């Protein structure tokens, strides 16, 4: 496991897991949100976004966190050897994302490029404005999308590791050895 894509719904813990995994593997870490969301929450133009991601995936050891399926998945998954899918229960995700969003808004935490979560967005039902609404409304579709991806023969070159609980995530991380590929055969996806 040297080139890893960490995916899952918003609030599942992708960035936290990906950072820890990159540290354990001594690999470059890239959070796609940090590249895509430019100052004022303006999206980076598609061609430039793809160029920046392509530069990272050209490397030999990396961990990339984020979905951006229609934007860069083709680039990332073509070079990846492993996809770690955080498939946590909706109640777990919602508890995490609500707490995280309130904490970030209250502390005025800078996320990327000067951007911060806005109080008014926390209460919006518009998934384009609120990450909380996004996580709630896209949870089932995200699960279906990655279940289909696991079954797709075009992804046969990838090892999928499906983590369905916080305990499974902890066990997965505790078993990481840069010289050992945990892969699907390890049983991690069954936890």
């Amino acid at each position: 496991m040297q080139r890893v894509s960490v995916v899952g719904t918003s609030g599942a813990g992708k960035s936290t897991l990906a950072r820890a995994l990159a540290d354990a593997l001594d690999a470059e870490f890239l959070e796609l949100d940090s590249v895509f969301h430019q100052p004022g929450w303006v999206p980076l133009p598609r061609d430039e976004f793809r160029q920046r991601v392509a530069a990272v995936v050209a490397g030999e050891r990396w961990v990339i966190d984020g979905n951006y399926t229609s934007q860069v998945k083709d680039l990332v998954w073509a070079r990846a050897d492993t996809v770690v899918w955080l498939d946590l229960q909706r109640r777990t995700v919602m508890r995490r994302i609500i707490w995280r969003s309130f904490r970030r808004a209250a502390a005025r935490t800078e996320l990327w490029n000067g951007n911060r979560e806005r109080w008014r967005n926390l209460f919006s039902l518009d998934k384009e404005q609120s990450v909380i609404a996004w996580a709630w409304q896209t949870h089932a579709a995200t699960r279906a999308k990655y279940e289909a991806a696991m079954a797709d023969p075009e992804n046969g070159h990838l090892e999928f590791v499906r983590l369905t609980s916080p305990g499974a995530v902890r066990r997965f991380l505790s078993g990481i050895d840069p010289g050992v590929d945990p892969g699907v055969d390890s049983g991690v996806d069954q936890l």
Side-chain angles (χ1 to χ4, degrees), residues 110-155:
E110 181 179 336
L111 302 176
W112 320 278
N113 304 310
N115 296 316
R116 291 173 169 77
E117 291 201 37
R118 300 177 191 127
W119 279 109
R120 69 177 178 267
N121 290 358
L122 301 183
F123 302 102
S124 174
L125 298 178
D126 179 356
K127 70 180 182 182
E128 299 303 324
Q129 297 297 315
S130 169
V131 70
I132 294 169
W134 178 273
W136 179 264
Q137 294 175 28
T138 63
H139 188 273
T142 299
R143 177 173 282 163
K145 175 175 61 178
Y146 288 118
E147 284 176 340
M150 286 178 66
D152 188 340
E154 287 189 25
N155 297 323

Side-chain angles (χ1 to χ4, degrees), residues 17-188:
L17 172 61
R19 274 188 198 95
L21 190 55
D23 287 346
L25 297 173
D26 193 28
E28 182 175 358
F29 167 68
L30 177 65
E31 182 177 10
L32 292 178
D33 281 336
S34 72
V35 177
F36 184 77
H37 296 293
Q38 295 299 297
W41 294 102
V42 174
L44 188 66
R46 188 176 196 276
D47 289 343
E48 191 173 342
F49 185 41
R50 289 179 62 82
Q51 288 172 1
R52 290 195 190 178
V53 173
V56 173
V57 300
E60 288 304 312
R61 295 178 75 82
W62 45 261
V63 177
I64 294 179
D65 108 73
N67 300 306
Y68 292 91
T69 305
S70 65
Q71 300 269 343
V72 294
K73 184 186 96 174
D74 61 321
L75 297 173
V76 175
W77 285 21
R79 291 269 304 139
D81 54 44
T82 307
V83 173
V84 177
W85 170 24
L86 283 175
D87 182 27
L88 304 182
Q89 294 297 315
R90 188 187 310 223
R91 68 180 174 271
T92 302
V93 169
M94 295 312 299
R95 184 180 68 247
R96 287 179 171 187
I97 201 154
I98 290 168
W99 172 245
R100 180 187 82 180
S101 295
F102 275 94
R103 189 178 68 244
R104 285 177 173 176
R108 302 277 305 136
T109 304
E110 181 179 336
L111 302 176
W112 320 278
N113 304 310
N115 296 316
R116 291 173 169 77
E117 291 201 37
R118 300 177 191 127
W119 279 109
R120 69 177 178 267
N121 290 358
L122 301 183
F123 302 102
S124 174
L125 298 178
D126 179 356
K127 70 180 182 182
E128 299 303 324
Q129 297 297 315
S130 169
V131 70
I132 294 169
W134 178 273
W136 179 264
Q137 294 175 28
T138 63
H139 188 273
T142 299
R143 177 173 282 163
K145 175 175 61 178
Y146 288 118
E147 284 176 340
M150 286 178 66
D152 188 340
E154 287 189 25
N155 297 323
H157 68 287
L158 295 167
E159 294 283 344
F160 279 86
V161 179
R162 183 178 187 178
L163 303 171
T164 59
S165 72
V169 173
R170 286 189 296 275
R171 289 187 293 276
F172 172 71
L173 277 175
S174 71
I176 294 299
D177 178 344
V180 176
D181 182 356
V184 173
D185 295 336
S186 70
V188 171

